[in-house]
Amino acid sequence: MKIVTWNINGIRTFKNGIKTTLDSFDADIICVQETKVTRDLLDEKTAVVDGYNSYFSFSRGRSGYSGVATYCKDSATPFLAEEGLTGLLANQGEAVGCYGDQVELSSEELLALDNEGRAVITQHHFIGTDGPQKLTVINVYCPRADPDKPERKQYKLQFYRLLQCRAETMLSSGSHVIVLGDVNTSHPPIDHCDPDDADNCEDNPGRKWLNHFLFGTAEKNTKDELKEISQKSASGGKFVDSFRHFHPKRSNAFTCWSTLTGARQTNYGTRIDYIFADRCLVKSAFICVDIMPEVEGSDHCPVWAQLSCTLQASPKFPPLCTRHMPEFTGRQQKLSRFFVKVSEKDRVFKDSEESLPGSQDTGGILENLNPVVQENSVAKKRPTCREKDTNAHKAKRSKQMKTESNAKGSLLAFFKPKQTPLIPSSGNLSLKPTESSQDSPDSESDTRSCPGNVQTETSLSMITEMETENQDEVEGESTSIDKSKDCKKGPCTGFWKAVLHGPPQPPLCETHNETCVLRTEKAGPNLGRQFFVCARPQGHPSNSQARCNFFAWVDKGK
Ligand code: ZN
């Protein structure tokens, strides 16, 4: 059995054909993070791939943000699949179970943790040396703590604790467990290009958590923390970082590089994408684990693990499978679906009392399909029957919370791409929602992947292109900042300023004597201020080919 994890930084990374990309891994389970797709924007060719079955979790708040998906080969179809870590998103009958003790968190906090589309759990079967075994695969996109948003630090730690609780409960129930994905913290210093980085110190709470979570690293914590761990007894030390198990000393084994600084070219990165597994499984079944830095298209690279066990396929797809999504069960139903909208559902679900945070997906689409699903379930008595009930229930619960997000519910989103001038007039009517999701900035990482087939371009043109893109970003951003500042003077003052005067002339950096690039402070007291830095990619300070430390503010007067 082969399993892969990859933060794809947007589903458009698959634009050359998702099946081709998935096939290229030759893996049974492929877990991707940061799909940046919400359900209303998920298209059929991404959701339903020949030879695979897939399971998505979507952000229910912001669009173009977060999101994870697990693709399983049909020969490795899971027996159960569940969205989220808390169980609050799971419909009855499809839950994997084993939630553990969540009392530490309020129900609001729990909901908030599952509301950003950060986890999908699948449960598989295989025959081990001791007979039939279960394997639970927890695909996660752990939050990144924005240093300027202290509440996100808390959120991140809560997510870690919830993840640990769920993983350990699964494990003690007798299932083997793999936790994999973008963990957003690098663990030992060897996993970071700049071990002295302030974010990366021993005090980093994410690292402390990893010390708890991983086997044999708890002693790295202080005595007080150790005491706390032993008081909580069961917690800590049950999982193994499988890559380090096989490559304990390998350095410069990074999986993530800043696109903003072009640091991939100098391999100035971090290892934050992991495949953790319970100790027993690593010892008994893991054959090899490695990173794939040669695979481009995202600011992260994939990581894979080969196991000796062979998964058994479930005879039917679990209810969460995208193949069961009404919008993908048959094209002929599509048109009618979008016309049943408002009137029907508003009448049916008028008096909802429970509240789940607003959801774009459960909003229009599921409800619209009730008539269709009903037909199916009457005719064939398929599992959709149960699905229908739970969907209706879910929709009912979410109804109340549908506020502004409802404004871009399924109907609008469905037609929106037609208005997008980006769509080539090739006569191909397939909508391309991912194109429009491109418009939404990724504020979580401030980075974007390089456009196009970077493999086919020289590294120099790659820099140029990247910097151009970054500059676009910078200019776009400064424009909007100026706009908000100058809104009383009239619209787009900043924009016209930029057009009339042009951007400031970039200076030459001192070390390389090369034209600098313009950037904008994205946080802190200098938010919005522009500055010039060396255009070269960031690298180790001793690397003369990497960025020098030239820095100059742009004068405000200009
Ligand atoms: Zn320079």
Side-chain angles (χ1 to χ4, degrees), residues 240-291:
V240 170
D241 169 3
S242 61
F243 176 87
R244 278 289 163 226
H245 178 81
F246 287 95
H247 314 284
K249 297 263 162 67
R250 200 201 285 181
S251 57
N252 298 312
F254 301 134
T255 62
C256 176
W257 305 265
S258 165
T259 351
L260 202 64
T261 63
R264 192 163 187 168
Q265 294 161 75
T266 50
N267 191 24
Y268 198 66
T270 53
R271 193 170 71 92
I272 59 176
D273 300 86
Y274 292 98
I275 300 178
F276 300 138
D278 66 86
R279 287 170 63 198
C280 176
L281 189 68
V282 172
K283 277 190 200 155
S284 64
F286 272 65
I287 297 169
C288 189
V289 182
D290 217 331
I291 60 173

Side-chain angles (χ1 to χ4, degrees), residues 405-422:
S405 72
N406 198 30
K408 23 179 196 171
S410 62
L411 191 63
L412 200 63
F414 188 73
F415 289 108
K416 192 171 143 199
K418 284 185 181 168
Q419 302 160 352
T420 309
L422 289 171

Side-chain angles (χ1 to χ4, degrees), residues 6 21 24-25 257 264 292-298 300-302 455:
W6 190 18
T21 310
S24 71
F25 289 119
W257 305 265
R264 192 163 187 168
M292 304 175 77
E294 70 281 5
V295 175
E296 301 194 44
S298 164
H300 294 246
C301 79
Q455 302 101 305

Side-chain angles (χ1 to χ4, degrees), residues 508-514 516 533-536 544 546-550:
L508 302 177
C509 73
E510 279 151 2
T511 310
H512 306 104
N513 209 29
E514 290 169 0
C516 288
V533 288
C534 175
R536 293 196 173 213
S544 64
R547 170 180 301 176
C548 62
N549 55 11
F550 180 88

Side-chain angles (χ1 to χ4, degrees), residues 294-336:
E294 70 281 5
V295 175
E296 301 194 44
S298 164
D299 55 340
H300 294 246
C301 79
V303 183
W304 60 271
Q306 182 80 49
L307 283 75
S308 58
C309 53
T310 303
L311 297 180
Q312 296 179 311
S314 166
K316 60 180 183 181
F317 303 124
L320 185 67
C321 182
T322 50
R323 287 176 190 268
H324 292 311
M325 285 185 177
E327 57 266 46
F328 304 128
T329 50
R331 284 196 159 276
Q332 74 284 3
Q333 299 166 350
K334 278 197 167 176
L335 197 58
S336 63

